[in-house]
Amino acid sequence: MTETIQKQLGTTLWKIADQLRGAMNADDFRDYMLSFLFLRYLSDNYEAAAKKELGKDYPEQKENDRRTPLAVWYEENKEDIAVFEKQMRRKVHYVIKPEHLWSSIYELARTQSGDLLKTLQAGFKYIENESFESTFQGLFSEINLDSEKLGKNYSARNSKLCTIVTEIGKGLSEFSTQSDILGDAYEFLIGQFAAGSGKKAGEFYTPQQISTILSKIVTLDSQDPSTGKKKKLKKVLDFACGSGSLLLNVRKQLGPNSIGQIYGQEKNITTYNLARMNMLLHGLKVSEFQIHHGDSLLNDWDILNEMNPAKKLECDAVVANPPFSYRWEPNDSMADDFRFKGYGLAPKSAADFAFLLHGFHFLSDEGTMAIILPHGVLFRGGAEERIRTKLLKDRHIDTVIGLPANLFFSTGIPVCILVLKKCKKFDDVLFINASEYFEKGKRQNFLSDEHVDKIIDTYQYRKEEDQYSRRVLMEEIEKNQYNLNISRYVSTAEKEEIIDITQVNKNLVEIEKTISKAKKNHNNFLKELGLSELP
């Protein structure tokens, strides 16, 4: 039932977005739409907590009073506001002023009775700088309320915002405000906007089915996945986290309070803001996650540069969908970088292994890493061959999963998932060739639940299946010069039929006898008719 409601809400909001954005670019409108959904969640959660905190002192909503109950309380209890807000920061970890609550914003928009644009600007500024115990500066930096895309003048922009907020408010009014409902609606919208963004979507969105595969893999026991899921993960890292959907999917697999700390890093400022909103929208406390705006390849996050072994970040799960074959400019000093030392630098033409080694460095001995990469990492030569060879010799590559082509909005190429472990149990590499298992869509192919389950089941129990999966000993991989091209080990091509030459010759002899007999009968008929016989 909840799943149906989530889909209905997502569809309703997408229709509103499609109708209202007009000539505005889908990427631009996404930021407005998702920000208002975020404000609605924060407001509803805050008002519910305030009502519980104030108890019988919480005012009733009066029929002819357009003010929110909390606004009424603020006006009647000015001397108690500071104490109340201190208590709210302790319990829900943030504060929203009555005039910035969604209910107040919606009423202002619906009645067009005031200056909505300036109220929103003040509200966003307050949330960024003062709402939370730690500041969320720049959270709404990509939302330009003064943009001419909203209108040519101030009045037009204010009017457009009133329309957008009113329609969103109407659409949301029919649905629950539970965090899982709104959170999943947020994810649905991110996916819909990604579909409309084409190649740009690769910067912030990993298709849910692929996200689920990675998430289920890293939450299984690392030494023996057949024993099932881990009960808890102390730390989880996604160093190219986009909108944070992969991190949230890991949490979803184990449930709330199952992860000690979530770490995410994102280079794109817009996507970084999406990720922070997404975390809060899914009910995570500020103390439960850290999202950093920065470049993973440059390793510019202080927390990842801790050299003290006792304080070094070690994660039970590392997941990532970094940019494919990204061109980078490593400097000479990077050869001695603690992440790459012993392996060498990835080539300038493709940073795929640089991303992999970055994440792998922060994996704990009991952890699992699952990363999405282009197929080239499996067989390309040069520096990549040297890195791949060392990872294999050190027994760090556990599983190679080949996925179908055209699953991503950003590229049509087929990709693979590499599963890595620092201390793995099995002395072989599991190859899963899932390239032929998919459903065709209008724009992209997609994996059904059955396809996802088959991959996970094969990984978890290390199953072997003809033309689908196989456990390959290191001796065979060594003979293939550490080339991991999946088709070398698990081919989906139909096997050629074995031809029995003796039987074929016997059949031909029988055919010749049949032809000779038929010819003899035919000539007898011709003779009886007085016609010339066939030679």
Side-chain angles (χ1 to χ4, degrees):
M1 186 66 178
T2 301
E3 203 170 299
T4 304
I5 294 170
Q6 289 164 347
K7 191 170 183 179
Q8 286 174 349
L9 174 56
T11 304
T12 298
L13 291 171
W14 176 247
K15 284 180 181 177
I16 292 170
D18 211 28
Q19 290 165 3
L20 293 180
R21 73 181 180 90
M24 191 183 291
N25 183 288
D27 289 342
D28 292 328
F29 195 80
R30 174 196 69 208
D31 298 330
Y32 294 96
M33 191 81 180
L34 295 178
S35 295
F36 291 141
L37 188 60
F38 176 59
L39 179 61
R40 161 71 188 269
Y41 165 72
L42 288 180
S43 298
D44 287 349
N45 190 46
Y46 187 75
E47 285 184 285
K51 186 174 182 179
K52 184 178 179 181
E53 177 65 26
L54 294 173
K56 60 182 177 59
D57 293 329
Y58 192 77
E60 293 290 330
Q61 180 74 56
K62 294 180 181 178
E63 191 174 341
N64 297 320
D65 193 343
R66 290 176 177 170
R67 296 174 301 170
T68 64
L70 196 58
V72 173
W73 186 88
Y74 263 61
E75 288 179 22
E76 295 176 352
N77 299 272
K78 291 180 181 178
E79 69 283 357
D80 298 324
I81 291 174
V83 175
F84 166 74
E85 290 187 348
K86 184 178 180 180
Q87 190 70 355
M88 292 301 285
R89 287 188 192 281
R90 190 177 71 82
K91 292 192 172 180
V92 292
H93 306 285
Y94 66 94
V95 165
I96 298 183
K97 295 294 185 183
E99 63 270 26
H100 303 148
L101 292 166
W102 173 261
S103 49
S104 299
I105 296 293
Y106 175 60
E107 184 63 24
L108 202 57
R110 187 183 67 82
T111 59
Q112 298 195 32
S113 56
D115 200 333
L116 177 66
L117 198 157
K118 285 188 176 177
T119 304
L120 279 170
Q121 286 176 324
F124 287 162
K125 186 177 180 180
Y126 184 85
I127 291 171
E128 285 184 335
N129 299 312
E130 299 181 59
S131 273
F132 294 89
E133 293 170 336
S134 56
T135 61
F136 274 78
Q137 289 182 357
L139 191 61
F140 300 99
S141 62
E142 296 301 292
I143 304 157
N144 183 4
L145 296 175
D146 290 321
S147 171
E148 289 194 1
K149 293 176 182 178
L150 285 171
K152 290 185 177 180
N153 54 49
Y154 186 89
S155 177
R157 291 194 284 275
N158 191 70
S159 178
K160 178 73 171 178
L161 284 169
C162 285
T163 302
I164 293 171
V165 170
T166 301
E167 289 304 313
I168 293 174
K170 287 179 183 176
L172 288 170
S173 64
E174 304 171 23
F175 297 94
S176 167
T177 58
Q178 293 175 10
S179 63
D180 59 341
I181 301 284
L182 280 178
D184 286 341
Y186 189 91
E187 288 284 326
F188 177 87
L189 282 176
I190 288 175
Q192 292 297 99
F193 279 113
S197 298
K199 290 187 177 180
K200 291 182 182 178
E203 297 176 4
F204 62 85
Y205 188 71
T206 302
Q208 278 297 313
Q209 309 97 334
I210 301 174
S211 175
T212 298
I213 293 172
L214 268 68
S215 302
K216 286 190 172 183
I217 284 173
V218 299
T219 50
L220 289 168
D221 183 84
S222 61
Q223 288 301 296
D224 189 356
S226 66
T227 60
K229 288 183 179 181
K230 292 182 176 180
K231 292 181 180 178
K232 190 176 178 67
L233 296 173
K234 292 178 182 177
K235 296 172 184 175
V236 177
L237 169 68
D238 182 348
F239 54 83
C241 69
S243 61
S245 60
L246 246 174
L247 288 167
L248 288 167
N249 210 332
V250 174
R251 180 175 180 264
K252 183 179 179 181
Q253 298 305 321
L254 295 179
N257 305 315
S258 58
I259 298 175
Q261 188 74 17
I262 285 175
Y263 297 90
Q265 182 160 359
E266 176 53 42
K267 185 178 180 181
N268 181 292
I269 183 66
T270 304
T271 315
Y272 159 70
N273 286 331
L274 277 181
R276 292 193 291 171
M277 288 184 191
N278 210 359
M279 294 293 144
L280 294 168
L281 197 65
H282 280 83
L284 273 80
K285 297 173 184 175
V286 176
S287 58
E288 292 179 317
F289 69 92
Q290 293 186 52
I291 307 293
H292 178 71
H293 177 226
D295 189 331
S296 291
L297 293 178
L298 297 178
N299 202 30
D300 53 11
W301 193 2
D302 290 343
I303 200 169
L304 300 184
N305 281 291
E306 178 58 63
M307 301 308 293
N308 185 337
K311 295 181 180 179
K312 175 194 167 188
L313 183 68
E314 293 188 334
C315 299
D316 298 325
V318 177
V319 289
N321 174 23
F324 300 150
S325 299
Y326 177 77
R327 294 191 68 85
W328 70 314
E329 295 293 333
N331 54 49
D332 294 338
S333 64
M334 278 191 169
D336 293 321
D337 189 297
F338 57 82
R339 298 168 295 164
F340 311 130
K341 201 169 184 178
Y343 290 95
L345 294 175
K348 292 181 179 180
S349 58
D352 301 311
F353 270 114
F355 283 119
L356 183 151
L357 291 172
H358 172 85
F360 187 66
H361 178 80
F362 301 106
L363 184 67
S364 71
D365 288 345
E366 296 299 317
T368 303
M369 176 177 175
I371 183 171
I372 304 168
L373 294 169
H375 269 267
V377 301
L378 302 177
F379 54 79
R380 288 191 297 237
E384 292 184 299
E385 182 181 356
R386 289 192 292 275
I387 296 169
R388 184 174 63 245
T389 299
K390 180 165 175 55
L391 286 168
L392 284 163
K393 284 183 174 180
D394 291 346
R395 303 294 196 262
H396 291 323
I397 297 178
D398 178 85
T399 303
V400 179
I401 304 170
L403 297 177
N406 204 30
L407 291 178
F408 288 81
F409 297 112
S410 54
T411 178
I413 65 170
V415 299
C416 65
I417 296 172
L418 286 185
V419 181
L420 297 102
K421 298 171 185 180
K422 287 195 172 175
C423 302
K424 68 171 189 168
K425 176 181 178 180
F426 303 101
D427 192 32
D428 55 41
V429 176
L430 174 65
F431 286 83
I432 301 174
N433 193 342
S435 59
E436 303 297 321
Y437 293 77
F438 62 92
E439 300 288 339
K440 275 194 168 294
K442 289 182 180 179
R443 293 184 182 180
Q444 274 77 37
N445 297 327
F446 65 93
L447 303 177
S448 67
D449 291 343
E450 288 76 18
H451 295 143
V452 171
D453 290 344
K454 183 176 176 65
I455 290 172
I456 297 303
D457 188 59
T458 303
Y459 166 78
Q460 182 173 4
Y461 298 103
R462 229 162 171 79
K463 290 182 176 180
E464 294 188 281
E465 180 182 324
D466 190 40
Q467 296 185 303
Y468 186 76
S469 61
R470 184 174 160 233
R471 296 172 65 170
V472 180
L473 293 172
M474 286 303 301
E475 286 82 353
E476 183 176 345
I477 294 172
E478 186 179 353
K479 285 178 183 176
N480 280 317
Q481 287 148 0
Y482 300 98
N483 185 316
L484 295 180
N485 198 343
I486 298 170
S487 60
R488 284 183 177 234
Y489 307 99
V490 185
S491 175
T492 58
E494 291 295 327
K495 291 182 180 179
E496 292 185 10
E497 185 182 351
I498 298 173
I499 299 172
D500 185 338
I501 299 299
T502 304
Q503 184 60 45
V504 169
N505 186 62
K506 188 177 179 181
N507 291 343
L508 286 173
V509 170
E510 291 300 319
I511 290 169
E512 286 289 345
K513 288 180 180 179
T514 302
I515 291 172
S516 179
K517 185 177 179 181
K519 184 178 178 182
K520 186 177 180 181
N521 290 336
H522 186 65
N523 280 336
N524 286 336
F525 291 136
L526 292 174
K527 189 176 179 181
E528 288 177 11
L529 295 169
L531 299 173
S532 301
E533 296 181 25
L534 292 174

